[in-house]
Amino acid sequence: NAGVTQTPKFRVLKTGQSMTLLCAQDMNHEYMYWYRQDPGMGLRLIHYSVGEGTTAKGEVPDGYNVSRLKKQNFLLGLESAAPSQTSVYFCASSSDYSPLHFGNGTRLTVT
Amino acid sequence: GQQLNQSPQSMFIQEGEDVSMNCTSSSIFNTWLWYKQDPGEGPVLLIALYKAGELTSNGRLTAQFGITRKDSFLNISASIPSDVGIYFCAGRLIYNQGGKLIFGQGTELSVKP
């Protein structure tokens, strides 16, 4: 029972490089989310999706793009990484009957 | 935007002591959740609250959904070393937005054996 799986676990990028973080859930949840966690700031919502083919902006969407082509996957893209995007990124999923379940995070460093 | 104020930001306690932390907001929530995060892992759900005034326990943990719908607290009794971690409150607004949650800033708990 995998739950929410994030890949990769760690990544180091140079400023200006691009990358995609992958999130997969096997619980048939409708809703999926991407959060970033920074010291003293809790979890801040980047983008979210209420269903396959739909996405919406969260609290801190600038510099990120997302896609939800399949119900079980939610991709987070950084087109041109900046040092301010150094953070730990968490994916989560939920349904109307289930609270958020989180993955174990991706630690991203942008130099 | 909506905000949750979680306090305290950090706590240093002796093993066996009781712990209390809370979250407050100016907004009304229809769900309150409490999560714990261990180092290097994602947050894990501890307690979910769905009705104003609801008091729910999970072992040594007790949480309450404030009667005004604007606050919640979490108590841990007789703390043990494995209680160490960061505790987050999260609330879902009264107007459902696809289940979107707002998180508090977290309370970092340290327990001295």
Side-chain angles (χ1 to χ4, degrees):
Chain A
N1 189 8
V4 179
T5 304
Q6 290 182 233
T7 53
K9 287 184 169 43
F10 302 94
R11 187 70 188 268
V12 178
L13 289 179
K14 293 185 178 177
T15 298
Q17 286 185 319
S18 63
M19 77 162 294
T20 301
L21 306 185
L22 172 64
C23 178
Q25 54 98 1
D26 61 2
M27 296 171 283
N28 201 34
H29 284 167
E30 295 89 2
Y31 312 131
M32 296 188 74
Y33 314 82
W34 277 105
Y35 288 88
R36 61 177 288 173
Q37 184 177 26
D38 301 292
M41 304 194 74
L43 289 148
R44 293 183 293 169
L45 184 64
I46 304 171
H47 286 280
Y48 65 103
S49 168
V50 299
E52 181 179 322
T54 71
T55 63
K57 293 180 180 180
E59 190 182 347
V60 288
D62 294 341
Y64 305 94
N65 57 77
V66 288
S67 65
R68 184 117 181 253
L69 298 179
K70 293 182 180 180
K71 186 177 184 179
Q72 63 268 32
N73 295 338
F74 196 29
L75 307 181
L76 177 72
L78 285 72
E79 289 185 349
S80 179
S84 61
Q85 294 178 304
T86 294
S87 187
V88 182
Y89 292 86
F90 286 98
C91 176
S93 70
S94 72
S95 70
D96 284 332
Y97 310 103
S98 167
L100 262 66
H101 293 261
F102 284 87
N104 281 333
T106 296
R107 187 173 293 275
L108 175 66
T109 302
V110 183
T111 62
Chain B
Q2 299 90 9
Q3 280 190 322
L4 281 183
N5 297 310
Q6 185 172 349
S7 65
Q9 284 190 319
S10 60
M11 302 181 74
F12 297 86
I13 63 169
Q14 201 76 33
E15 182 177 0
E17 289 183 356
D18 296 343
V19 172
S20 184
M21 58 191 80
N22 68 83
C23 278
T24 61
S25 176
S26 57
S27 300
I28 294 174
F29 292 91
N30 68 359
T31 302
W32 282 97
L33 305 172
W34 284 92
Y35 286 85
K36 183 193 177 201
Q37 185 180 25
D38 290 325
E41 298 184 11
V44 173
L45 183 68
L46 298 173
I47 292 180
L49 303 159
Y50 298 106
K51 290 193 296 189
E54 181 180 354
L55 183 72
T56 297
S57 292
N58 178 6
R60 294 177 296 105
L61 277 61
T62 302
Q64 184 158 32
F65 191 145
I67 198 74
T68 65
R69 294 180 176 265
K70 295 182 179 181
D71 60 346
S72 177
F73 72 75
L74 174 72
N75 287 342
I76 306 173
S77 63
S79 59
I80 59 178
S82 63
D83 290 334
V84 164
I86 303 177
Y87 292 79
F88 291 100
C89 63
R92 180 176 290 128
L93 291 166
I94 194 77
Y95 300 105
N96 190 10
Q97 295 175 313
K100 193 171 61 164
L101 292 177
I102 298 171
F103 281 83
Q105 302 94 328
T107 296
E108 185 164 7
L109 179 64
S110 301
V111 180
K112 190 188 287 188

